[in-house]
Amino acid sequence: MGRRKRRGVATANLDDVARRAGVSKMTVSRVVRGGADVSETTREHVLQHIRALRYSPSMPARQLTAGGELTIGLIYGPEVAAELAPVLIAAQGATERLAVRILPLPSGKAPIRFNPVYKRLDAAIVLASTCNAARSLLGQIDIPHILVADASRDGNSVGIDESAAFCEMTRKLLALGHRSLAFVGSESSGSCPRRKGFQIAIAEQAPRVTADFSVSNGRSFVAHLRACEQLLANKPGITALVAGDDLVAAAAVSAAERIGLDVPQQLSVVGFGDTHLALRTSPELTTVRLPVGAMTLHALERIAATVRGKTVATGPTVMPFEIVWRDSAARSPVRQAALRTRELPELLIETAV
């Protein structure tokens, strides 16, 4: 990017300041706009180089500080494309109030910053369903942004505590009498906080509980189906399967059906996300529901305030989650048998009378 021309004289731009100061463009932008999330040492260091280069913010930048309309990109990967509708509805409902314009921007094979639309953005909301997807997307952008994903990690993000959600879900299954459980994750969700939450709950009941772990080597339904079939065939004693997301959970239900296991009488299956698949699977999935609309609105308000130089909280914002209990999970087969055994003497007494 070339320098701006002013009356025939080359003037410094944001890139020049960032290069000379040895910081990112985002940091320079925050200093220019008076953002609170910059240390005083860094702020003074950047200001010294701004003065030395005689850098003057462009008119659009001054307008943003004054409260002009912002263009916010909604950057997302293919794994969340099917669940974009509630995000867009929440974002569009706040555009007039916040004086922002929303531009959806899907990621592709080429880095996002090479997309012509990206050059029009003042900031971005990054949607990611897993920690691996988040790392991939964040590595492609260099403008002010906020991540809508797991909020148990450090950083500028809004979301739920995924580790806590999976820990609570697993505890509920243990309370239902399940003592042989398995966690199945996709390539992207297998090593995230979701598995960590599962492990925490299992450790609380050790050594009375056994647990298995499996990672599906792929992102497709078929890949997940094969992984679940192999796990259930090799570990026939499993009575509860905790899936890293709803797609894996739907595949687990199909795998159980193919090998003759009844869900939930012989195998309980739970997922994550409460996506469209949760209600299309038979039986319907027990899963973790995210407050998608509230998360999106909070992220939009926060990033708009940040770009305009207002004082905002930094770090992760943790929002509440909800476990939606449906027909894919029930008491363990052993617990059900024990209950039937206790009921049998009463039945015999009534028959004899």
Side-chain angles (χ1 to χ4, degrees), residues 4 12 17 42 47 103 113 120 129 134 148 179 183 185 221 225 232 253 264 268 282 285 319:
R4 302 193 309 272
V17 177
T42 301
L47 287 174
L103 290 182
R113 60 181 173 272
R120 299 161 53 190
S129 64
V148 177
R179 294 295 177 265
F183 177 91
F221 180 87
L225 178 65
L232 294 174
V253 172
S268 289
S282 181
L285 292 177
M319 306 198 80

Side-chain angles (χ1 to χ4, degrees), residues 263-281:
V263 176
Q265 297 303 314
Q266 295 173 291
L267 178 71
S268 289
V269 178
V270 297
F272 177 85
D274 199 23
T275 64
H276 67 287
L277 289 172
L279 296 179
R280 294 182 181 180
T281 304

Side-chain angles (χ1 to χ4, degrees), residues 50-326:
I50 287 176
R51 289 190 289 267
L53 292 170
R54 297 182 180 180
Y55 168 67
S56 178
S58 64
M59 181 59 70
R62 289 195 291 268
Q63 288 174 343
L64 293 181
T65 304
E69 185 181 70
L70 300 177
T71 301
I72 308 294
L74 201 60
I75 298 175
Y76 61 94
E79 76 282 357
V80 299
E83 308 301 327
L84 203 59
V87 175
L88 289 173
I89 292 171
Q92 293 295 343
T95 53
E96 184 175 351
R97 176 173 62 86
L98 298 175
V100 297
R101 180 172 49 153
I102 304 298
L103 290 182
L105 182 58
S107 64
K109 294 182 179 179
I112 294 172
R113 60 181 173 272
F114 295 147
N115 190 312
V117 175
Y118 179 77
K119 303 181 187 304
R120 299 161 53 190
L121 303 181
D122 298 304
I125 295 175
V126 180
L127 302 174
S129 64
T130 65
C131 51
N132 288 347
R135 281 194 292 266
S136 174
L137 291 175
L138 292 178
Q140 301 178 43
I141 62 176
D142 57 358
I143 57 176
H145 62 269
I146 188 167
L147 176 66
V148 177
D150 171 55
S152 62
R153 76 190 83 209
D154 294 330
N156 200 31
S157 61
V158 179
I160 71 165
D161 186 336
E162 295 184 359
S163 178
F166 271 75
C167 184
E168 182 176 331
M169 177 77 84
T170 306
R171 285 171 178 162
K172 287 183 178 293
L173 291 171
L174 292 169
L176 289 172
H178 294 279
R179 294 295 177 265
S180 180
L181 298 85
F183 177 91
V184 182
S186 62
E187 287 180 328
S188 54
S189 67
S191 60
C192 274
R194 303 174 192 182
R195 174 167 172 164
K196 178 182 177 182
F198 174 81
Q199 290 174 310
I200 290 172
I202 294 296
E204 293 172 349
Q205 298 293 328
R208 295 179 298 165
V209 176
T210 61
D212 290 277
F213 302 91
S214 179
V215 176
S216 173
N217 296 317
R219 298 182 179 180
S220 68
F221 180 87
V222 173
H224 301 333
L225 178 65
R226 290 172 179 168
C228 292
E229 281 184 331
Q230 183 175 2
L231 173 68
L232 294 174
N234 293 337
K235 302 288 183 176
I238 292 173
T239 63
L241 189 150
V242 179
D245 54 57
D246 283 349
L247 182 60
V248 176
V253 172
S254 293
E257 182 180 358
R258 287 170 63 139
I259 64 176
L261 289 177
D262 181 88
V263 176
Q265 297 303 314
Q266 295 173 291
L267 178 71
S268 289
V269 178
V270 297
F272 177 85
D274 199 23
T275 64
H276 67 287
L277 289 172
L279 296 179
R280 294 182 181 180
T281 304
S282 181
E284 295 179 353
L285 292 177
T286 294
T287 186
V288 177
R289 175 180 293 164
L290 286 66
V292 176
M295 287 161 54
T296 304
L297 185 58
H298 183 88
L300 188 57
E301 292 173 338
R302 187 163 147 183
I303 194 63
T306 298
V307 174
R308 290 188 171 115
K310 298 179 181 179
T311 301
V312 295
T314 58
T317 297
V318 181
M319 306 198 80
F321 60 85
E322 177 187 1
I323 295 179
V324 182
W325 205 262
R326 299 193 179 102

